[in-house]
Amino acid sequence: MHTSWLTANSYGKLSNQVQGAFIAPLPAFDIISVSGPDSRKYLQSQTTCDIDKLTDDTFLRGAHCDAKGKTWSVFHLLQQHDELLIVAFRDELNASVAQWRKFGVFSKVSFNAADNNFATLGIGGSGAAELVGRLGFNLPGGNGRLSRHNDGAILQLADEHFMLILPKSDAIALLDSDYPLAAPTLWLKQHILQGLCYLEQPLIGEFVPQMLNLQAVDAISFTKGCYLGQETVARMKYLGRNKRASWILQAETDEAPAAGCDIEQQFNDNWRRVGQVINAVNINNQLWLIAVLPNDITPVDSLRLKSDSAPALQLLPLPYHLS
């Protein structure tokens, strides 16, 4: 975890007990700048989102797949002056950038770490919109939109759920101010409850994008030109071959399962493995997770985490419709 922009004093302010709106540093999320005359054209051929639809006041959610249509990363992409910035969890971003550099040697495009210049934070909680205004930003005006202030940008991921990109010096100053600060886990809980996820190392290259519900959060374009893995992604949509989806689950337990941990379903007297944890967070012995399961799972199905204590899992509703 890169923590050069987080001071000991800042760490001491972070809490999971914040009531209402909060700002949470997200040091596990990295930023890559993409530049060069072929940057847009190259990314258009490598990602599920339509780069041609990117504007100065919008951002794109997208995915990078391999040739078999398996997802290597889920990211957010925005324009910053004459560069593109890609924000994603460190594991998946490192995996994708290695591939982009490998196959981009014949294009006029370069990928450079931007975490020395920028920092990523999250804003959430009840009253988050008011907090956005206190920071000097206008409200973006809807999911998928962004607003700018000085050299910073705030991305609206969902209602009351934002990602904030700031110059590192501004982020340091912000965390030393009197704004309500929260631990990253509090933002991650909200991320999970919005049905959003990222990929940690064990799950990179394991799922097609529809298994992560990316078609439901406008991260897949089915009208753009060809891109890596498109044949598989299109087949899942038009031939109805996708049988799995991401679901939100909750349990009362002190466990905090790692990415890739198994989830089991009861069939008569037996339990059978039916899915895997993608992201999970435990706050005050309340476990929240998002997991890939059969797409016909229902709240009446008996589910449990495969572990020594095997806590029962409750299925929660998704905040969007699965198509």
Side-chain angles (χ1 to χ4, degrees), residues 92-107:
E92 56 185 345
L93 189 58
N94 287 343
S96 285
V97 168
Q99 295 300 305
W100 288 333
R101 284 175 173 158
K102 177 180 178 181
F103 294 106
V105 293
F106 299 109
S107 298

Side-chain angles (χ1 to χ4, degrees):
M1 179 180 291
H2 299 316
T3 58
S4 60
W5 57 280
L6 294 177
T7 66
N9 182 54
S10 297
Y11 265 120
K13 295 181 180 180
L14 305 184
S15 169
N16 283 321
Q17 309 305 317
V18 178
Q19 300 296 317
F22 61 82
I23 300 171
L26 303 177
F29 283 76
D30 278 349
I31 303 175
I32 288 289
S33 68
V34 188
S35 58
D38 293 340
S39 57
R40 285 184 173 240
K41 179 181 178 181
Y42 181 69
L43 286 179
Q44 184 78 322
S45 70
Q46 294 288 313
T47 64
T48 61
C49 53
D50 189 350
I51 307 296
D52 291 340
K53 293 186 177 180
L54 183 65
T55 67
D56 193 56
D57 58 359
T58 64
F59 68 92
L60 299 177
R61 183 181 288 119
H64 167 228
C65 302
D66 61 19
K68 297 180 180 180
K70 296 299 182 67
T71 309
W72 281 51
S73 64
V74 180
F75 57 79
H76 298 88
L77 183 149
L78 64 148
Q79 181 78 38
Q80 183 74 6
H81 302 306
D82 58 348
E83 298 179 324
L84 299 174
L85 297 183
I86 298 178
V87 188
F89 187 72
R90 180 167 302 118
D91 293 353
E92 56 185 345
L93 189 58
N94 287 343
S96 285
V97 168
Q99 295 300 305
W100 288 333
R101 284 175 173 158
K102 177 180 178 181
F103 294 106
V105 293
F106 299 109
S107 298
K108 295 178 181 178
V109 60
S110 61
F111 299 87
N112 297 290
D115 51 293
N116 286 329
N117 301 319
F118 293 97
T120 306
L121 305 96
I123 298 178
S126 177
E130 180 182 351
L131 183 54
V132 167
R134 288 174 56 193
L135 292 172
F137 291 87
N138 293 322
L139 277 178
N143 302 347
R145 302 189 66 83
L146 64 79
S147 64
R148 302 178 188 272
H149 178 62
N150 296 330
D151 283 329
I154 189 159
L155 288 60
Q156 184 166 348
L157 308 186
D159 292 343
E160 304 279 20
H161 188 52
F162 302 88
M163 181 176 280
L164 177 62
I165 311 299
L166 287 180
K168 185 178 291 187
S169 59
D170 291 347
I172 293 171
L174 179 62
L175 295 183
D176 285 335
S177 67
D178 60 355
Y179 286 101
L181 302 181
T185 46
L186 202 59
W187 186 86
L188 176 56
K189 172 190 170 183
Q190 188 177 46
H191 206 59
I192 290 171
L193 290 175
Q194 293 294 341
L196 303 173
C197 66
Y198 56 82
L199 295 180
E200 301 178 53
Q201 187 62 51
L203 299 181
I204 292 172
E206 292 295 317
F207 307 113
V208 297
Q210 287 96 327
M211 293 179 184
L212 304 174
N213 302 352
L214 295 187
Q215 79 284 2
V217 294
D218 298 323
I220 306 174
S221 171
F222 293 99
T223 59
K224 62 177 280 187
C226 296
Y227 60 87
L228 196 64
Q230 181 191 28
E231 183 178 349
T232 298
V233 175
R235 187 183 304 121
M236 291 292 175
K237 174 179 174 62
Y238 295 112
L239 298 183
R241 293 189 176 181
N242 180 44
K243 304 301 180 185
R244 305 183 73 74
S246 293
W247 298 97
I248 305 167
L249 302 164
Q250 188 269 336
E252 295 185 9
T253 176
D254 61 357
E255 295 199 36
C261 286
D262 291 340
I263 292 175
E264 298 178 319
Q265 181 179 353
Q266 186 173 22
F267 295 90
N268 298 320
D269 295 329
N270 299 312
W271 290 87
R272 188 172 71 197
R273 176 183 179 275
V274 293
Q276 290 178 283
V277 174
I278 307 173
N279 305 129
V281 61
N282 195 310
I283 300 176
N284 299 328
N285 293 327
Q286 292 290 318
L287 173 65
W288 312 86
L289 62 86
I290 187 166
V292 171
L293 298 167
N295 59 10
D296 59 354
I297 206 81
T298 71
V300 300
D301 294 317
S302 296
L303 299 170
R304 72 180 187 185
L305 188 67
K306 185 179 181 181
S307 66
D308 291 339
S309 62
L313 295 169
Q314 176 187 1
L315 188 70
L316 301 182
L318 290 168
Y320 46 69
H321 176 71
L322 288 179
S323 56

